[in-house]
Amino acid sequence: MAEHFAHLVRGSGPGILLAHGAGGSVAGNYGPILDDLATTHTVVGPDYPGSGDTPRSRVPLVLDDVADSLVRTAVDAGVDRFAVLGYSLGTAVAVRIAARHPERVTGLVLTAGFAFPDNRIRLAVRVWRDLLAAGDRVLLARFLTLVGTGATRLNGLAPADVETAVAALADFVPAGTPEHVDLVAGADIRADLPRIHVPTLVVATAEDGLVAPEHSRQLAAGIPGAELVEVPAGHDVAAEARDEWLAAIRSLLTRVG
């Protein structure tokens, strides 16, 4: 059943609906570009259960329900039609939104995403989940920094800066992360891809060790007419390639109005 998620609304103009990643939030995943997007669009950013101010779910998350709840949140906020920006797990949410609510979606931008979790993603999710269960946030942050940070950025940091980044990530673990990563493990949108008929831009993060760029290529190949661009970044594209990411998003938004 669709719920109403806690959310932010910024700006004015055509609608944008944000779908964030697992173990993330709207502010955490889209924060560096929110103000820019809000200069030209009405941005609705719902947080999944257990992120931001949305209460944690007491039952496993279901992709259809999360997709429907994001749509309900946008409509309740007065935004009836929108482009959907999906990041990481949010790409699966975004595609499912477009498949279930095609009358509301004007376009898609799918960044650092996947159509289904391959063995590499499944192993990463298993380690992520086990470290959460063990309560070792610092080791979890080291793991995510290792696989999620692009080699160019990671090797360009001083050792002290790496430790600072790890500590900051360890402090940011939303309560709903276990349900989020379980949703990653079960997400499969391959059957949805040929049903998408809105302008779609797929953004591959070329140095991503968590969700390899090959997954983005599969998304682009499966969606009719989709375009593919690559940005020089690891999984944390907002921190590593903010300007390139924003420019790619703008290129799609300009086309859909």
Side-chain angles (χ1 to χ4, degrees), residues 2-256:
E3 302 177 38
H4 182 95
F5 290 166
H7 61 283
L8 60 79
V9 180
R10 293 191 188 176
S12 61
I16 293 176
L17 177 60
L18 304 179
H20 67 74
S25 66
V26 168
N29 294 156
Y30 291 100
I33 64 172
L34 280 175
D35 288 343
D36 287 274
L37 294 175
T39 62
T40 55
H41 289 73
T42 302
V43 182
V44 182
D47 283 312
Y48 303 157
S51 286
D53 292 327
T54 305
R56 184 176 180 180
S57 177
R58 297 182 180 180
V59 297
L61 298 179
V62 176
L63 188 61
D64 284 356
D65 293 343
V66 173
D68 291 351
S69 292
L70 260 68
V71 170
R72 177 183 170 185
T73 301
V75 172
D76 287 353
V79 180
D80 294 328
R81 300 189 76 233
F82 36 74
V84 188
L85 310 189
Y87 166 75
S88 193
L89 169 63
T91 60
V93 177
V95 169
R96 186 57 55 85
I97 287 172
R100 289 174 64 84
H101 305 274
E103 75 285 356
R104 296 198 181 277
V105 177
T106 60
L108 296 175
V109 180
L110 309 175
T111 302
F114 59 93
F116 72 100
D118 63 3
N119 287 336
R120 184 182 182 90
I121 292 177
R122 288 182 182 277
L123 283 170
V125 165
R126 178 63 184 269
V127 173
W128 194 347
R129 193 69 164 86
D130 288 350
L131 289 172
L132 281 170
D136 196 335
R137 291 189 172 204
V138 173
L139 186 56
L140 172 60
R142 292 191 191 284
F143 168 69
L144 292 175
T145 299
L146 173 64
V147 298
T149 308
T152 301
R153 179 177 178 84
L154 187 59
N155 291 326
L157 295 174
D161 292 333
V162 174
E163 293 306 309
T164 298
V166 166
L169 186 56
D171 286 339
F172 178 71
V173 181
T177 300
E179 291 79 46
H180 300 177
V181 296
D182 286 348
L183 187 57
V184 170
D188 189 338
I189 55 166
R190 284 175 287 184
D192 295 328
L193 300 182
R195 301 169 54 200
I196 305 306
H197 297 290
V198 293
T200 299
L201 177 68
V202 180
V203 181
T205 38
E207 297 185 19
D208 197 335
L210 184 60
V211 182
E214 177 58 29
H215 288 281
S216 289
R217 298 183 191 115
Q218 291 170 357
L219 284 171
I223 297 174
E227 296 183 31
L228 174 70
V229 299
E230 294 195 6
V231 296
H235 202 65
D236 190 4
V237 62
E240 297 183 38
R242 174 200 176 277
D243 292 348
E244 294 92 336
W245 188 32
L246 181 61
I249 292 170
R250 287 266 183 226
S251 71
L252 185 283
L253 295 178
T254 299
R255 284 194 285 126
V256 301

